[in-house]
Amino acid sequence: MTHSLHREGTISSLERDYALFIYPARGFNYNGSGPKVRRIMELLYLEAPSNMIVSTLRRNLYSGVRPEEVLESIKDGARIYSAFNNREKLKEALVGIKKLDEGISVVVSGLIDQVREMAAEINLNPHTINLSLGIHGRTDRLPPPDIRQFTTMCGHGMVSPALVRDVIRRIKKGRLALWEGSIILAAPCTCGIYNPHRSQEMLHDLVPLYTVNRW
Amino acid sequence: MIIRQEICVGCGRCHPYCPTHAIHFQDLKSAVDQEVCYECGCCLRAEICPVEAIEDSPQVYDYPRALRKYFSDPNATHALTGIQGRGTEESKTNDVTLRVGPGEVGIAIEVGRPNIGMNLTNIQKITRALARAGIHEIEPNNPFQDMIQDHSTGDLKPELMGERVLSAIIEIQVKRDRLRHILRTIKEVAREVDSVFCLDVYTLLEPGLTVPPEVLEIIESEGLSWRPNAKINLGLGRAWERKNS
Ligand code: SF4
Ligand code: SF4
């Protein structure tokens, strides 16, 4: 799964956007992983991520799901997907996960320079990197970059460009607040890695510039 | 996906949720173009329809149409692999599995991403180009494997040619000295493909989150560059807990 690898936007915006994943490995440390992942999930709740989902429930932080329900759903093989809008909060979470020492794989998607610094600060030795070499083929058919900075926060393509335009239009008309619009855009991402805090900032910047008649 | 015409009130609320404009107005109601629909489930999951007119089509799990759902809906579990999603665990559990070891690279071609999707005839252009170039190291555990009819030619199963998917991932794992040849082949076939794909390379890191210079040199010399953000396995998995399950 490479779905967090192609988040687009300016460097200053990406500095406030990290995806964090907890993955048991099928056929390796999968059996018995449930209680370990649950302990990590409990810790993550305290670190207030921008968004989070467990693969056994797939309901994001803003769906109204109760933390107890989420924790109870965790069984062997469950994965956690989350998004952070703040480097220091993510660092705190990583310090805690390192201390728990559950032996489960932890992956961060974010600016390489920032992750390098963070890893050095908390004495981690990153193991493997997945680099994106960009988009190829009929790039002329893509939605424009300002829309892609929203849609690529869901790497599975569940956040439709038409929905981004629709939300912008409704905010412009005064029918939606920025945060409400952000939550609408976060909902289709069933991995819970859409970062609604970053999205709110982007909407704030974009709404005055955009003219949208109809999606 | 289908919209029950007798119930739909034509409010149009569902339209923007569709990533591929498959929903359109027809006689003051909405309808789904079955040819275009990826069966991604976005419109239904949005729970936006005031009269619950949106339903899974009765044919959604019939082969070969079912591939649309398996490769477009992240919540769907692939019937063959029992795994949700398009790919394998590639880099994300590599600190435990060591699937990509020293001196090796993984390459992923994420067809249809971002946003656009692709029909399978276009994916076949890529698999054929790889086969012609003698690249046969396609990851055996990826659900994409099941689409291939003949590895020697890169032909996909003929019955799949009418289908389209929002994203599928072709994963290749090779020694680093094969990377240049593979990148070159992919760059060439990019001109023939009538959609988009994302290209990724994964490799073990050297101390201090240093990407092996040899890998970067090959990428650069092929005229490619890497994005400033990446997916990084932090090395907290314990490899000695291997094979206990
Ligand atoms: S299932 Fe997906 S592609 Fe099909 S109509 Fe609904 S949103 Fe569009
Ligand atoms: S939301 Fe429901 S009622 Fe409105 S157009 Fe779509 S299917 Fe019809």
Side-chain angles (χ1 to χ4, degrees), chain B residues 53-105:
Chain B
I54 305 172
E55 284 181 3
D56 260 329
S57 129
Q59 282 82 41
V60 64
Y61 289 110
D62 290 354
Y63 180 80
R65 188 166 180 98
L67 290 193
R68 295 191 184 216
K69 183 147 198 84
Y70 296 146
F71 286 93
S72 307
D73 181 347
N75 290 12
T77 300
H78 197 285
L80 281 176
T81 58
I83 298 174
Q84 288 182 334
R86 320 282 168 275
T88 62
E89 289 170 348
E90 23 85 11
S91 63
K92 53 196 184 257
T93 52
N94 203 41
D95 53 345
V96 173
T97 63
L98 258 190
R99 282 183 46 210
V100 177
E104 294 179 331
V105 283

Side-chain angles (χ1 to χ4, degrees), chain A residues 72-105:
Chain A
E72 272 158 31
S73 77
I74 295 176
K75 51 182 195 255
D76 284 359
R79 304 159 164 188
I80 304 171
Y81 310 127
S82 60
F84 280 78
N85 65 321
N86 178 310
R87 178 194 191 277
E88 292 311 304
K89 272 201 275 182
L90 172 65
K91 196 171 119 186
E92 284 303 305
L94 291 175
V95 168
I97 294 169
K98 187 180 175 214
K99 211 158 143 196
L100 281 177
D101 190 24
E102 302 287 7
I104 304 284
S105 299

Side-chain angles (χ1 to χ4, degrees), chain A residues 115-188:
Chain A
V115 179
R116 183 185 291 118
E117 269 180 34
M118 230 183 299
E121 286 163 23
I122 55 182
N123 207 14
L124 290 173
N125 300 306
H127 184 276
T128 305
I129 191 163
N130 194 341
L131 294 167
S132 166
L133 308 191
I135 310 167
H136 302 266
R138 290 287 308 276
T139 49
D140 57 304
R141 291 182 52 194
L142 290 168
D146 51 1
I147 299 294
R148 288 209 305 271
Q149 61 184 340
F150 295 89
T151 59
T152 56
M153 281 202 278
C154 168
H156 287 123
M158 297 291 100
V159 180
S160 154
L163 187 62
V164 179
R165 294 191 174 102
D166 187 51
V167 162
I168 292 173
R169 189 169 55 90
R170 284 153 71 191
I171 294 173
K172 273 193 98 81
K173 285 186 166 178
R175 293 198 184 147
L176 276 182
L178 291 168
W179 179 250
E180 286 172 323
S182 247
I183 295 302
I184 288 173
L185 292 174

Side-chain angles (χ1 to χ4, degrees), chain B:
Chain B
M1 203 61 70
I2 52 167
I3 291 177
R4 289 177 57 192
Q5 297 291 296
E6 71 280 16
I7 305 181
C8 173
V9 294
C11 68
R13 281 187 185 188
C14 52
H15 294 211
Y17 284 86
C18 178
T20 186
H21 298 285
I23 311 177
H24 55 276
F25 287 116
Q26 187 180 296
D27 301 330
L28 302 178
K29 310 244 177 168
S30 288
V32 176
D33 184 334
Q34 294 301 311
E35 179 47 41
V36 178
C37 172
Y38 284 121
E39 304 290 2
C40 70
C42 277
C43 51
L44 182 62
R45 271 195 306 276
E47 296 179 346
I48 196 79
C49 179
V51 292
E52 298 186 11
I54 305 172
E55 284 181 3
D56 260 329
S57 129
Q59 282 82 41
V60 64
Y61 289 110
D62 290 354
Y63 180 80
R65 188 166 180 98
L67 290 193
R68 295 191 184 216
K69 183 147 198 84
Y70 296 146
F71 286 93
S72 307
D73 181 347
N75 290 12
T77 300
H78 197 285
L80 281 176
T81 58
I83 298 174
Q84 288 182 334
R86 320 282 168 275
T88 62
E89 289 170 348
E90 23 85 11
S91 63
K92 53 196 184 257
T93 52
N94 203 41
D95 53 345
V96 173
T97 63
L98 258 190
R99 282 183 46 210
V100 177
E104 294 179 331
V105 283
I107 297 143
I109 309 164
E110 302 182 60
V111 296
R113 288 184 184 175
N115 291 115
I116 293 183
M118 208 185 264
N119 66 35
L120 297 186
T121 48
N122 273 298
I123 298 184
Q124 184 172 258
K125 287 179 187 166
I126 302 175
T127 50
R128 281 180 171 171
L130 293 171
R132 276 197 307 273
I135 302 157
H136 300 290
E137 300 93 333
I138 294 180
E139 162 64 49
N141 294 317
N142 184 306
F144 176 76
Q145 262 300 336
D146 188 50
M147 291 190 196
I148 302 174
Q149 163 109 337
D150 182 344
H151 284 269
S152 63
T153 59
D155 287 0
L156 302 188
K157 292 176 179 166
E159 69 271 22
L160 303 183
M161 289 301 106
E163 301 303 333
R164 47 199 312 263
V165 297
L166 197 44
S167 56
I169 306 179
I170 305 171
E171 285 176 75
I172 303 164
Q173 193 181 316
V174 288
K175 294 281 177 218
R176 280 182 194 162
D177 58 8
R178 299 263 286 148
L179 178 59
R180 189 183 305 278
H181 174 57
I182 294 173
L183 292 181
R184 204 165 283 179
T185 306
I186 295 169
K187 259 173 35 189
E188 273 163 25
V189 74
R191 293 191 211 116
E192 294 171 34
V193 173
D194 188 28
S195 184
V196 291
F197 60 86
C198 288
L199 183 59
D200 322 326
V201 167
Y202 41 102
T203 173
L204 289 186
L205 284 162
E206 293 175 3
L209 214 165
T210 305
V211 185
E214 171 199 355
V215 173
L216 295 183
E217 188 275 317
I218 296 171
I219 295 170
E220 273 187 321
S221 68
E222 286 309 310
L224 295 164
S225 55
W226 54 95
R227 290 186 49 78
N229 44 343
K231 186 160 170 172
I232 298 157
N233 178 318
L234 294 180
L236 287 168
R238 273 202 297 269
W240 59 87
E241 287 185 5
R242 283 168 170 227
K243 295 292 179 196
N244 68 351
S245 51

